[in-house]
Amino acid sequence: MTAVTNIQKTDAELGLAQQFDDTRANLPGNAWVNTLREDAIRTFAKLGLPHRRVEAWKYTDLRSMLKVANTPAGSELHTVSDADLYQALGADLHGLGAHHIVFVDGVYDEENSFIIGDEAGLVHMTSLAETLDNPPEWFKGNFNKVNPRDNDHVVALNTAFMRDGAVLEIVKDAKLKRPVHLIFISSSKSAEAITERHFIHVEEGASATILESYVHLRAPDTQRNSVTELSIGKGAKVNHIKFQHEGAQASHLSNWMISIGESANYRGFQFTIGAKVSRNTINVNFDGSHSEADISGVAMLWDEQHSDTTMDIVHGVPNTLSRELFKTVLDDRGRAVFQGKLVVKPDAQKTDAKQMAHGMLLSETAEFDAKPELEIYADDVVCGHGATSGQLDEDMMFYMRQRGMSEETVQTLLILAFVGEAFELVEDEDIRAAFTAMAQAWLGGKSDE
Amino acid sequence: MLKIENLHATVGGSKILNGISLEIPNGEVHAIMGPNGSGKSTLSYVLAGRDGYEVTQGTATLNGTNLLDLEVDERAAAGVFLAFQYPHEIPGVATFIFLRHALNSVRKARGQEELTTPDFMRLVKGKAAELGVKDEMLKRPLNVGFSGGEKKRMEILQMAILEPSLCILDETDSGLDIDALKTVSEGVNALRSKDRSMLVITHYQRLLDYIVPDKVHVLSKGKIRHSGGKELALELEKSGYAEFVDEDAA
Ligand SMILES: Nc1ncnc2c1ncn2[C@@H]1O[C@H](COP(=O)(O)OP(=O)(O)OP(=O)(O)O)[C@@H](O)[C@H]1O
Ligand SMILES: [Mg+2]
């Protein structure tokens, strides 16, 4: 990739620079944090918003998609009730019996947050804002360093503007029965920019299900930038799930930066139905041998929604396994992008990596672009990838309709079967059932707002 | 009663059916035999309403209902059932779920109430047992990884559950072993009734020893060239189609 000289700055880029100057004094953090922010805004000033001539953003020209920079959220605090959360999440996700950690328009909401007593000692949660004001040494040593990528436009923007988020620790050998549900709800009536940053450490031998839900009450046009740094200790097991149902005009920029320890098992899943523009970057690095990652997802898009999932999976040590299965259903002028990069470094013998992405197009104007990328520098490895894109099978539809089922019933069954193969990979039965029900509802009405 | 008159149809621009006339009164079973490519499956698809099979002339009614006006699922509700020559695999849809949706759909269209889950299970398991379909198979996605014979049995199971008034069996005997042929034939015979007509497409006289037809028709080049009683099948087995196929040319 060659460096691209940035021509004229866009309104959004100019706006972001201005906003940094305007809000920095109100952002949390001590001098150490300030330096991080300054470095980050300098990086961003150099890079600007990513555009189609940047290889990783080829299909998602954020520079032209993000016309204006919304005002940063957080100057004014909003409150929501538990009933609001119920409304935004739906009964199923609200009723998981999970620990709730709630953020309203990007700010920690202590009122609505709770760690249920029976597991209180196993989950330690502090807000990022509090941590940044007084960062302990261990935090300074690790923050912004979990599987980082140089020159990431969006992460730089996040570091510059981060206001709040979850600093979460699952203690050694804790076997959590209840999911930890991080709930991000946007409720503002005005268009805001929310910048959240999460730093999660699952210690050695622990196991946990961590669900990130991005939902909206009002706020159809939120601009969100969310980064999750997740480090997984030796022998730990993590189910890491994201549900994204932002407002219809929202943009959702998400980065997962994951580092997997020896003999650990990571299962990531992302379910996308919201936002006008979403970019889901997932960077995974294997730090120890005999570890496994299964990262999958479902996206269901219609209208003019655009969703981009870009993964970068690096096998740097021997004997690791990765699997990906992404399913996307597209209607109207919906567009999905899947870019899956697999890197197998010279030392990573016995790597077993497989990647699959399937798009199902329900209209002639929908589009699915898949770009796999393999960089393999070791010889004793098994790697594979594949991508397909197609419509519902006519012969299958005829067969089923011959049995009396209406066209609508047949479509619903076949599409649910299509996404169901990915939902199967969600281990938590209640979350899987909730997602399946939402997929069904999507097919029934694609209702939003 | 199925009543077909002077039916012409094209597929992908080619004329495949060239004036078929056929009446199957309720209670009767008719067999159609004929060389490969003569239009047997095409006739079954045309009756079922498959896309791309265009009727250019003629009529087809089932108990007075004009089939050609109806959508595929409406024809199914009206009583048309086609046991496919090559049943499709439906990945991700468990057989039970499939059967349930199919049955509820036709019951709804016929103005009947949906069955309760226990009643549905009893019905399906009972019929499955009669046809030698194991319960375990009902949990698997329909036809996925089923053997050729298992798929055919599953077609007949669906037929038994949906209670159609016209059963079209397209080479249901192909791929069946001797024992399966017997079981499946028994299943079909059990469905013979005074208010149901059946059209059995086959290449082999042997099937007709089990499912004894009232009439046998020879189809060639998209037209019925000859009709007779069940003994016609034996004749064909011995002498082939040549005699009947030539009739047209003569
Ligand atoms: N899409 C199509 N376009 C053109 N011709 C077609 C198409 N589909 C089928 N045909 C032709 O129609 C003719 C009749 O086919 P059909 O499948 O009905 O034969 P059949 O009698 O069932 O044969 P078999 O005994 O082999 O099952 C064949 O010549 C076939 O090639
Ligand atoms: Mg045929």
Side-chain angles (χ1 to χ4, degrees), chain A residues 393-407 409 413-414 416-418, chain B residues 50 71-73 76 80-82 84 88-92 98 101-102 105 143 155 158:
Chain A
D393 186 290
E394 299 241 348
D395 290 346
M396 256 188 229
M397 290 195 64
F398 170 61
Y399 181 75
M400 294 174 78
R401 291 187 68 196
Q402 209 300 304
R403 299 310 187 235
M405 294 177 236
S406 67
E407 194 167 5
T409 304
L413 279 174
L414 290 179
L416 284 179
F418 174 75
Chain B
R50 187 173 193 161
E71 293 289 321
V72 180
D73 46 320
V80 177
F81 184 95
L82 168 60
F84 283 65
H88 287 284
E89 302 194 350
I90 313 290
F98 181 98
H101 280 282
S105 297
N143 292 333
E155 293 292 285
Q158 294 179 45

Side-chain angles (χ1 to χ4, degrees), chain B residues 36-37 39-42 44-45 85-86 170-171 201 203:
Chain B
N36 294 128
K40 302 181 299 296
S41 293
T42 302
S44 69
Y45 290 146
Q85 182 172 1
Y86 305 107
D170 192 356
E171 296 195 27
I201 296 168
H203 284 295

Side-chain angles (χ1 to χ4, degrees), chain A residues 95-113:
Chain A
L96 293 172
H99 308 295
H100 279 187
I101 298 170
V102 180
F103 294 81
V104 179
D105 300 314
V107 178
Y108 179 49
D109 173 5
E110 208 168 346
E111 282 290 294
N112 283 301
S113 300

Side-chain angles (χ1 to χ4, degrees), chain A residues 351-398:
Chain A
T351 290
D352 178 352
K354 282 198 189 73
Q355 185 178 85
M356 269 294 177
H358 302 287
M360 181 181 282
L361 311 176
L362 303 181
S363 79
E364 285 182 1
T365 45
E367 187 177 331
F368 179 64
D369 299 294
K371 191 184 80 177
E373 222 181 311
L374 298 184
E375 282 182 23
I376 301 172
Y377 304 104
D379 46 20
D380 186 12
V381 301
V382 182
C383 291
H385 66 81
T388 64
S389 157
Q391 285 105 7
L392 286 169
D393 186 290
E394 299 241 348
D395 290 346
M396 256 188 229
M397 290 195 64
F398 170 61

Side-chain angles (χ1 to χ4, degrees), chain A residues 32-297:
Chain A
W32 174 79
V33 174
N34 250 328
T35 313
L36 278 182
R37 292 190 194 279
E38 307 240 331
D39 286 349
I41 201 75
R42 260 197 303 276
T43 302
F44 178 73
K46 201 170 67 207
L47 299 169
L49 287 167
H51 48 81
R52 67 195 151 77
R53 279 164 296 145
V54 176
E55 189 59 25
W57 293 82
K58 188 173 164 189
Y59 299 103
T60 302
D61 193 338
L62 196 62
R63 198 163 190 256
S64 67
M65 287 170 158
L66 216 66
K67 294 262 181 314
V68 292
N70 288 355
T71 314
S75 51
E76 194 185 316
L77 290 186
H78 304 123
T79 56
V80 300
S81 64
D82 192 55
D84 292 332
L85 294 178
Y86 181 96
Q87 188 196 323
L89 288 167
D92 293 343
L93 283 187
H94 186 267
L96 293 172
H99 308 295
H100 279 187
I101 298 170
V102 180
F103 294 81
V104 179
D105 300 314
V107 178
Y108 179 49
D109 173 5
E110 208 168 346
E111 282 290 294
N112 283 301
S113 300
F114 53 80
I115 304 290
I116 296 168
D118 53 4
E119 294 183 339
L122 308 177
V123 182
H124 295 160
M125 149 72 200
T126 329
S127 76
L128 182 82
E130 196 183 326
T131 309
L132 292 181
D133 279 337
N134 205 351
E137 285 309 314
W138 64 263
F139 182 82
K140 288 204 263 185
N142 296 292
F143 182 75
N144 206 26
K145 295 188 182 111
V146 177
N147 191 18
R149 296 289 188 274
D150 290 337
N151 288 333
D152 187 308
H153 314 55
V154 174
V155 174
L157 209 50
N158 184 283
T159 307
F161 282 94
M162 61 189 170
R163 173 174 290 274
D164 212 344
V167 177
L168 196 64
E169 186 190 340
I170 312 297
V171 307
K172 187 165 181 279
D173 294 324
K175 310 282 183 209
L176 294 190
K177 297 242 159 39
R178 300 175 181 280
V180 178
H181 194 176
L182 301 165
I183 301 165
F184 309 98
I185 182 167
S186 39
S187 76
S188 171
K189 287 193 193 73
S190 59
E192 293 188 330
I194 296 174
T195 309
E196 282 151 339
R197 179 70 162 247
H198 319 298
F199 186 79
I200 305 175
H201 181 51
V202 178
E203 292 190 348
E204 193 175 323
S207 73
T209 294
I210 298 164
L211 170 62
E212 300 180 14
S213 290
Y214 296 86
V215 293
H216 66 287
L217 258 189
R218 285 171 290 268
D221 44 9
T222 301
Q223 291 177 342
R224 190 188 305 271
N225 180 331
S226 170
V227 171
T228 301
E229 293 183 62
L230 168 62
S231 59
I232 303 170
K234 186 175 171 183
K237 164 149 194 184
V238 182
N239 286 296
H240 185 201
I241 301 165
K242 181 171 87 165
F243 170 55
Q244 190 267 94
H245 187 196
E246 307 263 23
Q249 298 302 318
S251 62
H252 176 93
L253 304 176
S254 154
N255 264 276
W256 278 6
M257 310 202 290
I258 320 281
S259 127
I260 306 174
E262 186 185 329
S263 302
N265 184 336
Y266 174 71
R267 301 182 67 84
F269 193 91
Q270 302 201 338
F271 181 32
T272 298
I273 52 174
K276 177 147 186 200
V277 175
S278 57
R279 160 81 168 203
N280 310 299
T281 305
I282 305 173
N283 294 331
V284 174
N285 193 45
F286 288 92
D287 283 341
S289 293
H290 304 288
S291 46
E292 296 184 7
D294 187 316
I295 304 154
S296 303

Side-chain angles (χ1 to χ4, degrees), chain A residues 298-328:
Chain A
V298 168
M300 303 181 89
L301 309 170
W302 65 302
D303 199 12
E304 305 224 306
Q305 285 182 290
H306 175 112
S307 181
D308 172 331
T309 297
T310 295
M311 321 220 308
D312 184 2
I313 300 194
V314 182
H315 294 264
V317 294
N319 285 301
T320 56
L321 178 143
S322 67
R323 290 283 179 275
E324 291 96 47
L325 177 65
F326 281 81
K327 299 261 187 156
T328 304

